């Protein structure tokens, strides 16, 4: 019996695994159902659609920037299982509000003044939910698992998260908004039940007073990562990468609708392919590095990502769209569809190969008692960069740059994480010497 098989059957792992999967599924189901509905059924302007998609992305990640320091402190200083149960209880109320917004939008009731604000409020609250749950899912594993099980447990959690993201994205694209409203509440209830079975995980170090001044605690948290140049450079490189990805996520749905004249199911397919590509890149880079924590392939990977973005832009520019919205079979029958999807897959695979090894730096070169706070510091910088990315995407549309040409701006931005990846590689080699 393999380690992974043993863990899946163990109470010290399975409830956390299920809780994490359900949370990731619900995040993506709700957010994508909302964005798909508003872009395809409410607005009829590329600029307005880009702005809404950018606002939705910014609203979801803003809590990570504001509250990650507090979340990291809580994860290291309080019983993690108890925090999980509180967070999952709150998710039920959040999804009741979000589900009400979806139902009101479906009925066409006060879309601009009530239903969309309700959905954005719920999205912000789900960002808060994920902010407090995020550090726990990494920090709790070393407490519940044996040393030789942590790697397998982390891999299972990551795989489960990717599958949940895929499932939530697919379901959001293929079911009606009314069914999505019911589903998000039901999934929240299931997550609450699963959380009740997570074993206790009390703090492993000395319990310190919580610092509720989020600005001061955030600054202190980020400053604490400066002691190891490798960790600091990894955080910066990861953050720039996710800022770039945020711009892409903002662009996908308006691009599918306005440039490719494709349905929301096709937009969902884009997001699915991107997630699958990141997963393939993760597996590929792990095989290349053979378990070694290294940034050896990071610079060339992100440069390759920029190259695939240029190819993707070229295919989109040459696309001849039909007069009616294409469903998935019609889209796949288009002569340029294979090249479009392959270039999109290449973007994601190269991105996964770039970013995944960098996360290992965050947990490898810090004390175990500081792991959650290091992840939280990373979340603060990541989310700040993602908010900037979302705002940049909106501003590019505001100044009149067509969504397809914005892809070239994103491709040029890939040079920045490539430079930081190279700096990290040099710091890695210097540490060995």
């Amino acid at each position: 019996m393999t380690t992974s098989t043993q863990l899946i059957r163990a109470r010290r792992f399975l409830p956390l695994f299920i809780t994490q999967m359900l949370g990731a599924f619900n995040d993506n189901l709700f957010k994508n159902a909302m964005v798909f509905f508003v872009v395809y059924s409410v607005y009829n302007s590329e600029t307005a659609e880009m702005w809404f998609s950018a606002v939705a992305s910014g609203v979801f990640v803003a809590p990570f920037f504001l509250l990650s320091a507090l979340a990291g402190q809580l994860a290291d200083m309080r019983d993690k299982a108890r925090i999980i149960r509180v967070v999952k209880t709150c998710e039920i109320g959040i999804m009741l509000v979000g589900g009400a917004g979806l139902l009101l939008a479906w009925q066409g009731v006060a879309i601009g003044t009530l239903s969309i604000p309700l959905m954005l409020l719920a999205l912000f609250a789900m960002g808060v939910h994920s902010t407090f749950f995020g550090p726990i899912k990494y920090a709790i594993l070393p407490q519940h698992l044996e040393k030789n099980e942590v790697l397998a447990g982390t891999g299972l959690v990551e795989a489960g998260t990717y599958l949940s993201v895929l499932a939530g994205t697919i379901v959001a694209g293929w079911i009606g908004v009314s069914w999505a409203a019911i589903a998000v509440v039901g999934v929240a209830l299931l997550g609450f039940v699963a959380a009740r079975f997570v074993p206790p995980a009390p703090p492993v170090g000395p319990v310190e007073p919580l610092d509720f001044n989020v600005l001061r605690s955030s600054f202190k948290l980020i400053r604490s990562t400066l002691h190891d140049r490798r960790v600091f450079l990894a955080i910066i490189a990861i953050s720039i990468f996710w800022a770039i990805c945020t711009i892409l996520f903002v662009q996908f749905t308006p691009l599918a609708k306005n440039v490719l004249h494709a349905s929301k199911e096709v937009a969902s397919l884009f997001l699915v392919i991107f997630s699958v590509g990141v997963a393939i890149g993760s597996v590929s880079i792990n095989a290349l590095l053979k378990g070694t924590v290294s940034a050896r392939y990071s610079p060339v990977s992100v440069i390759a990502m920029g190259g695939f973005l240029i190819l993707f832009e070229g295919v989109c520019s040459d696309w001849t769209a039909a007069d009616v919205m294409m469903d998935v079979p019609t889209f796949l029958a288009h002569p340029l569809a294979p090249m479009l999807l392959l270039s999109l897959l290449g973007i994601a695979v190269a991105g996964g190969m770039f970013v995944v090894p960098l996360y290992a730096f965050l947990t490898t070169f810090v004390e175990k008692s500081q792991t959650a706070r290091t992840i939280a510091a990373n979340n603060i910088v990541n989310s700040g960069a993602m908010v900037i990315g979302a705002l940049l995407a909106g501003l590019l549309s505001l100044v009149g740059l067509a969504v397809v040409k914005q892809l070239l701006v994103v491709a040029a931005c890939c040079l920045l994480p490539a430079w930081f990846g190279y700096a990290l590689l040099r710091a890695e080699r210097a540490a060995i010497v």
Side-chain angles (χ1 to χ4, degrees), residues 225-226 228-242 293-295 298 354-366 374-375 377-379 381-382 385 416-417 419-425 427-428:
T225 65
L226 297 176
D228 191 301
R229 180 171 169 80
R230 293 166 297 179
V231 173
F232 174 73
L233 288 172
I235 288 175
I236 298 300
I238 291 168
S239 299
I240 298 172
F241 170 81
W242 284 119
V293 178
S294 174
S298 291
F354 169 77
V355 77
V356 167
L358 304 189
Y359 277 103
F361 282 87
L362 308 186
T363 55
T364 303
F365 302 109
V366 297
T374 302
I375 297 297
N378 176 66
N379 287 344
V381 183
N382 282 186
L416 196 54
W419 187 89
F420 277 100
Y422 176 68
L424 175 58
L425 181 58
E428 171 193 333

Side-chain angles (χ1 to χ4, degrees), residues 18-28 88 91 126 129:
I18 293 174
T19 304
Q20 161 64 13
M21 285 189 67
L22 291 172
F25 176 86
N26 230 15
D27 279 348
N28 284 273
K88 288 298 162 181
E91 185 184 2
M126 282 303 287
H129 156 281

Side-chain angles (χ1 to χ4, degrees), residues 314-320 331-342:
V315 177
C316 289
S317 296
D318 292 339
W319 191 272
T320 52
F331 170 81
L332 293 176
H334 194 286
L336 291 179
M339 182 60 69
L340 186 79
L341 296 179
L342 283 174

Side-chain angles (χ1 to χ4, degrees), residues 137-431:
K137 70 181 181 183
Y138 293 104
I140 201 172
L141 292 178
Q143 285 186 252
H144 286 167
L145 307 184
E146 300 296 332
K147 188 175 181 179
N148 64 335
E149 296 174 329
V150 172
L151 184 60
T154 303
L156 284 171
V157 168
E158 291 300 314
T161 300
Y162 275 120
L163 288 174
S164 297
V165 168
L166 285 174
T169 303
I170 293 170
V171 172
W174 286 86
I175 68 173
V177 70
S178 58
W179 287 107
I182 297 170
V184 292
V185 177
V187 173
L189 288 168
L190 291 175
F192 170 79
V193 173
R196 309 302 297 177
F197 294 93
V198 177
V204 296
V207 177
E208 305 168 9
L210 290 172
D211 186 353
F212 289 96
N213 185 320
V214 293
L215 293 178
R216 181 177 60 211
S217 57
S218 296
F219 177 76
K220 287 172 59 179
L221 198 59
I222 295 170
R223 189 176 61 184
S224 69
T225 65
L226 297 176
H227 69 281
D228 191 301
R229 180 171 169 80
R230 293 166 297 179
V231 173
F232 174 73
L233 288 172
I235 288 175
I236 298 300
I238 291 168
S239 299
I240 298 172
F241 170 81
W242 284 119
I244 290 171
C245 288
T246 299
I247 300 174
L248 288 176
F249 293 152
V250 167
Q251 292 168 339
F252 278 158
T253 304
L255 186 145
K257 178 188 176 186
N258 298 296
V259 176
L260 306 178
H261 284 212
S263 66
K264 68 185 181 76
E265 290 81 7
V266 176
S268 174
L269 177 64
F270 281 6
L271 295 171
V272 167
I273 289 174
F274 196 89
S275 297
V276 170
V278 172
I280 293 172
S282 305
V283 173
S284 301
I285 196 64
N286 285 332
L288 284 171
L289 292 174
K290 297 179 172 62
T292 304
V293 178
S294 174
R296 189 185 317 152
Y297 298 104
S298 291
V300 68
S301 295
V302 77
I303 290 173
M305 179 179 173
F308 281 114
L309 272 164
I310 294 172
L311 177 61
F312 185 71
E313 186 276 336
V315 177
C316 289
S317 296
D318 292 339
W319 191 272
T320 52
D323 294 331
V324 295
M325 287 289 173
M326 293 184 288
D327 57 15
V328 173
T330 306
F331 170 81
L332 293 176
H334 194 286
L336 291 179
M339 182 60 69
L340 186 79
L341 296 179
L342 283 174
S343 59
L344 178 59
L345 184 66
I347 294 168
V349 171
M353 293 182 69
F354 169 77
V355 77
V356 167
L358 304 189
Y359 277 103
F361 282 87
L362 308 186
T363 55
T364 303
F365 302 109
V366 297
E367 297 293 331
K368 287 186 178 180
S369 61
Q370 299 294 314
T371 300
R373 274 176 276 193
T374 302
I375 297 297
N378 176 66
N379 287 344
I380 293 170
V381 183
N382 282 186
S383 54
M386 291 167 74
V387 170
I388 292 171
L391 290 174
L392 178 59
L395 288 172
L396 289 174
S397 292
L398 197 62
V399 299
L401 185 63
V403 62
V404 69
K405 295 304 177 186
Q406 293 179 25
L407 295 169
L408 295 178
V409 176
V410 180
C413 289
C414 288
L415 294 173
L416 196 54
W419 187 89
F420 277 100
Y422 176 68
L424 175 58
L425 181 58
R426 292 181 62 185
E428 171 193 333
R429 289 171 176 171

Side-chain angles (χ1 to χ4, degrees), residues 39 42-52 254 257-258:
V39 169
V42 177
Y43 295 130
N44 195 28
S45 160
E46 182 179 299
T47 300
E49 292 156 9
M50 281 288 293
W51 261 108
F52 179 79
K257 178 188 176 186
N258 298 296

Side-chain angles (χ1 to χ4, degrees), residues 4-86:
S4 297
T5 305
Q6 290 175 331
L7 288 178
I8 283 293
R9 300 172 60 181
R11 185 192 164 184
R12 56 200 170 94
F13 177 78
L14 182 60
L16 175 69
F17 180 67
I18 293 174
T19 304
Q20 161 64 13
M21 285 189 67
L22 291 172
F25 176 86
N26 230 15
D27 279 348
N28 284 273
L29 173 58
F30 177 72
K31 179 185 176 184
N32 287 310
M34 178 186 71
V35 171
F36 289 154
F37 179 80
V38 172
V39 169
Y40 278 90
S41 303
V42 177
Y43 295 130
N44 195 28
S45 160
E46 182 179 299
T47 300
E49 292 156 9
M50 281 288 293
W51 261 108
F52 179 79
S53 187
V55 166
S57 295
V59 163
F60 182 73
V61 301
F64 289 88
F65 181 71
L66 298 172
L67 300 172
S68 284
L70 181 60
Q73 292 178 74
L74 279 172
D76 280 333
M77 300 178 189
R78 299 292 186 269
D79 188 317
K80 300 171 187 63
R82 184 179 179 186
I83 298 172
I84 289 173
R85 286 190 274 274
V86 172

